[in-house]
Amino acid sequence: MENVLDDHQLLDRIKEGDAEAFRILFERHWEGLYAFAWKRLKSRQDAEDVVQHVFMKIWEHRSARNIQLSIQAYLYRSVYYEVIAALKNIAGGSEEISSVTEYTLPVFSSVLEKLSLADLNELINKEVSNLPERMQQIYKLSREEDYSVKAIAEELNLSEQTVKNQLTMALSRLRKPVFESVLLLLIKDLMFP
Amino acid sequence: MNKDQLSALFGRFLREEASPHEKKMVEAYMLLSESEEAEFSDREKQETKERIWSVLNPYSGERRSNNVWYANRSWWLRTAAVWVMLVGITAAGFLFRYDIMDRLFPIAWNQDITGPYEIKRVVLPDGTVVNLAPNSTISYPARYRGHARKARLSGIAFFSVVSNEKQPFTVASGNLDIRVLGTSFEVRNVPLLHDVGVTVATGKVQVRCGDRMQAVLTANQEVRYNDTVGQFSVMEKVDAAAETAWTRNVLVFRETGLEEVLKALEDRYGMKISIHPNAIKKGATFSGAFKSHESGKEILDVVCFSSGLKYTITRDNIAVITK
């Protein structure tokens, strides 16, 4: 079963309460997700919590879950938001964190806060420019023109399913899928149309 | 921004209430941190996986609810996590923020080059004026950012540096680094001569070669560094004004072939000059220096007069040189 079933088939089994399918899904994806969270949280404990939380939700809501697009993209999107929630909780914690906070926090600001919106756009666009052309096009329509998946499909004269498939295909062709998944996450609506 | 504000920012992001700028900040953070190194040993991986799975495993009785996980966490672990995160951001962000920005948004370098007879006045982004001698090249960023103002020189140049104590000005030339806060000085670095010289007109200049050798010069002092010998020699009481008199010129010719002189005029003033066959005697030369207030036409007048030549301007604005 490890190698035979794809993510969607695993998910179908998970829906039926198949714990073995759940374990395989976990084995397949936990490491990339953990690394993703660790890089942003710089804490083993918090990164573990985030990964746990994401898989926990999959199991708990297994019967209600209906995932259209790539499971990988779905997982990264979930971890993405869990990481931000964890950052929010850590930074907002009541613990006295000594002068380190006062001294080091201005840093987040000094790098990012001082960049203008134009600079930040440039920064993100630079990453986007490494994506395949079609994906860039979809990204730009979604992000800059505020198009929904449906509108993108109409604009590019494609079916909605094709827009989604293009994204998944592009994703799998990329050298560093994890990194690009992050970009995919920036695209509104695509995971949960 | 303090940690509460940071927390609030993440909160707004999650509630989709963040401003476009705040959204981009979070997105940029999430993107940038992807390039962080994350290497785990196989043993670490195995242990981590087991720890996570032990909680997840639907068949194990140990499963606790989400709330319990978070409540169970000892406060010092969280504290350490914040500390580690902040130190991580600090190391990458604060100390090297300009390096990070240079990597993300590199600033293009400009280059100015002078021809063999030409002297150019170049104004750097901070207002510093550089008089560039013939056959010299200066490179500098299109704009200055961060703690330093930098320029690279090959050849000879006279610098009048705009004073800014917070942003020292550094010229790299050959093996020397010349560092100043605001002053004027000349650097001569002619690669063939294996000799770099710095003459100070006003103020104070620090000259370094690598980490070991350095000299601090004041007005009318000169330091010379010989590449092959690897030694500094400081000379007192130089007449800096005389040494740097050339900076007021724009073109300097010393027994230069007439054709070359005319070519230099074309290059410098964008003139079109056409020479009538046999107008110029073989071996005819010209010597003279021209100042910046003189126009191309005035210089052409002087060159032609002293060489016994005439010129007419055609309708297409070409100067035709005749006998």
Side-chain angles (χ1 to χ4, degrees):
Chain A
M1 187 154 94
E2 302 249 349
N3 303 316
V4 192
L5 298 181
D6 69 23
D7 285 350
H8 279 282
Q9 289 167 319
L10 282 177
L11 211 67
D12 287 341
R13 298 210 175 193
I14 292 169
K15 264 188 183 175
E16 291 157 14
D18 185 338
E20 180 60 10
F22 182 60
R23 188 190 62 79
I24 293 167
L25 191 76
F26 171 79
E27 294 261 351
R28 214 173 262 180
H29 294 291
W30 81 272
E31 195 180 332
L33 296 170
Y34 176 76
F36 180 93
W38 188 89
K39 284 175 183 177
R40 284 146 187 92
L41 294 165
K42 287 287 164 63
S43 148
R44 200 208 66 205
Q45 178 74 55
D46 287 297
E48 285 180 13
D49 280 356
V50 159
V51 175
Q52 256 165 17
H53 212 172
V54 166
F55 280 100
M56 186 69 83
K57 278 184 181 168
I58 288 196
W59 183 253
E60 282 175 355
H61 303 289
R62 60 187 178 278
S63 50
R65 189 68 80 223
N66 222 341
I67 298 169
Q68 300 286 337
L69 200 65
S70 115
I71 307 294
Q72 173 163 312
Y74 169 83
L75 287 170
Y76 279 101
R77 186 189 168 100
S78 306
V79 166
Y80 185 88
Y81 285 108
E82 286 288 337
V83 163
I84 292 172
L87 286 168
K88 172 181 167 283
N89 290 336
I90 296 164
S94 57
E95 292 92 16
E96 196 51 55
I97 304 181
S98 80
S99 62
V100 178
T101 318
E102 297 312 313
Y103 171 73
T104 49
L105 241 167
V107 166
F108 188 81
S109 15
S110 74
V111 182
L112 294 174
E113 198 175 31
K114 290 195 181 123
L115 297 179
S116 69
L117 194 56
D119 289 338
L120 288 166
N121 275 329
E122 192 188 327
L123 168 71
I124 291 167
N125 286 341
K126 214 177 116 195
E127 300 301 335
V128 172
S129 66
N130 297 326
L131 295 179
E133 206 174 308
R134 174 75 86 183
M135 194 168 170
Q136 277 186 48
Q137 200 179 8
I138 294 173
Y139 171 87
K140 282 177 182 149
L141 283 176
S142 164
R143 199 75 196 159
E144 287 156 25
E145 313 284 330
D146 226 27
Y147 278 35
S148 67
V149 170
K150 191 160 176 274
I152 293 172
E154 278 165 16
E155 174 75 21
L156 300 180
N157 207 9
L158 302 165
S159 74
E160 283 181 47
Q161 195 53 50
T162 311
V163 172
K164 291 180 202 161
N165 289 348
Q166 282 286 345
L167 278 168
T168 321
M169 267 164 56
L171 197 65
S172 61
R173 288 212 330 260
L174 293 164
R175 275 176 299 128
K176 290 188 293 171
V178 174
F179 188 28
E180 277 75 13
S181 303
V182 183
L183 278 167
L184 196 61
L185 297 175
L186 302 182
I187 306 172
K188 304 179 312 164
D189 275 355
L190 282 170
M191 306 306 139
F192 303 110
Chain B
M1 191 188 277
N2 61 35
K3 73 186 180 84
D4 293 330
Q5 287 168 322
L6 184 64
S7 174
L9 191 160
F10 287 128
R12 283 195 297 280
F13 183 91
L14 292 170
R15 293 191 304 274
E16 305 209 315
E17 289 165 9
S19 73
H21 184 245
E22 290 173 329
K23 258 166 96 176
K24 292 280 179 194
M25 276 167 69
V26 175
E27 288 168 358
Y29 174 77
M30 295 299 273
L31 266 180
L32 284 177
S33 34
E34 182 57 31
S35 53
E36 291 283 310
E37 290 294 320
E39 287 292 320
F40 308 103
S41 70
D42 287 344
R43 212 184 117 207
E44 269 179 289
K45 278 186 205 164
Q46 193 57 34
E47 287 171 0
T48 305
K49 191 173 94 178
E50 278 164 15
R51 267 196 306 272
I52 301 175
W53 182 248
S54 69
V55 181
L56 287 175
N57 190 354
Y59 289 143
S60 90
E62 289 173 36
R63 260 189 64 204
R64 293 157 285 178
S65 79
N66 298 351
N67 297 337
V68 179
W69 301 347
Y70 282 95
N72 260 350
R73 299 261 304 283
S74 52
W75 71 269
W76 65 263
L77 248 183
R78 274 166 167 264
T79 308
V82 171
W83 200 87
V84 168
M85 179 189 74
L86 294 175
V87 168
I89 299 173
T90 309
F94 189 72
L95 294 175
F96 304 109
R97 63 192 186 278
Y98 296 114
D99 301 289
I100 288 177
M101 284 169 74
D102 283 344
R103 193 163 58 86
L104 293 177
F105 317 115
I107 296 174
W109 279 60
N110 295 337
Q111 201 173 51
D112 275 292
I113 301 172
T114 47
Y117 310 105
E118 178 190 32
I119 294 163
K120 232 190 217 172
R121 184 171 178 274
V122 178
V123 181
L124 304 190
D126 62 335
T128 289
V129 175
V130 181
N131 289 288
L132 203 55
N135 285 324
S136 303
T137 305
I138 184 153
S139 326
Y140 54 94
R143 64 189 168 92
Y144 283 122
R145 169 170 71 197
H147 303 304
R149 294 176 285 168
K150 286 180 186 164
R152 284 197 291 265
L153 172 74
S154 162
I156 300 174
F158 183 80
F159 292 84
S160 304
V161 178
V162 170
S163 180
N164 182 352
E165 286 189 12
K166 287 183 183 149
Q167 229 186 358
F169 188 94
T170 312
V171 183
S173 189
N175 290 326
L176 296 191
D177 276 328
I178 301 123
R179 190 183 139 98
V180 297
L181 298 173
T183 175
S184 59
F185 60 96
E186 180 184 281
V187 180
R188 294 176 310 283
N189 164 24
V190 184
L192 285 176
L193 300 181
H194 299 287
D195 185 75
V196 187
V198 179
T199 308
V200 176
T202 59
K204 228 181 207 178
V205 174
Q206 184 192 59
V207 183
R208 301 170 62 106
C209 174
D211 286 336
R212 283 178 302 117
M213 277 183 286
Q214 67 167 47
V216 176
L217 306 182
T218 52
N220 290 323
Q221 281 190 323
E222 179 177 302
V223 69
R224 303 186 72 151
Y225 173 79
N226 190 296
D227 245 356
T228 40
V229 186
Q231 248 178 4
F232 266 154
S233 48
V234 177
M235 285 176 261
E236 302 284 339
K237 299 286 169 219
V238 183
D239 186 355
E243 291 242 328
T244 59
W246 62 267
T247 59
R248 286 183 292 278
N249 297 328
V250 290
L251 283 171
V252 181
F253 304 106
R254 284 190 192 91
E255 298 187 12
T256 309
L258 265 180
E259 273 118 339
E260 287 228 18
V261 170
L262 295 170
K263 176 79 174 56
L265 268 177
E266 280 190 310
D267 289 347
R268 172 80 199 201
Y269 293 99
M271 303 167 93
K272 282 180 194 146
I273 299 174
S274 133
I275 302 165
H276 200 268
N278 306 325
I280 293 175
K281 261 190 278 174
K282 260 208 176 130
T285 62
F286 176 83
S287 298
F290 299 96
K291 305 225 177 294
S292 52
H293 58 79
E294 287 167 297
S295 72
K297 190 180 163 298
E298 282 172 326
I299 296 174
L300 187 61
D301 284 340
V302 172
V303 171
C304 285
F305 179 78
S306 61
S307 313
L309 297 169
K310 287 187 195 117
Y311 73 92
T312 47
I313 308 271
T314 67
R315 248 177 289 164
D316 323 339
N317 222 13
I318 298 172
V320 181
I321 311 279
T322 52
K323 244 186 249 185

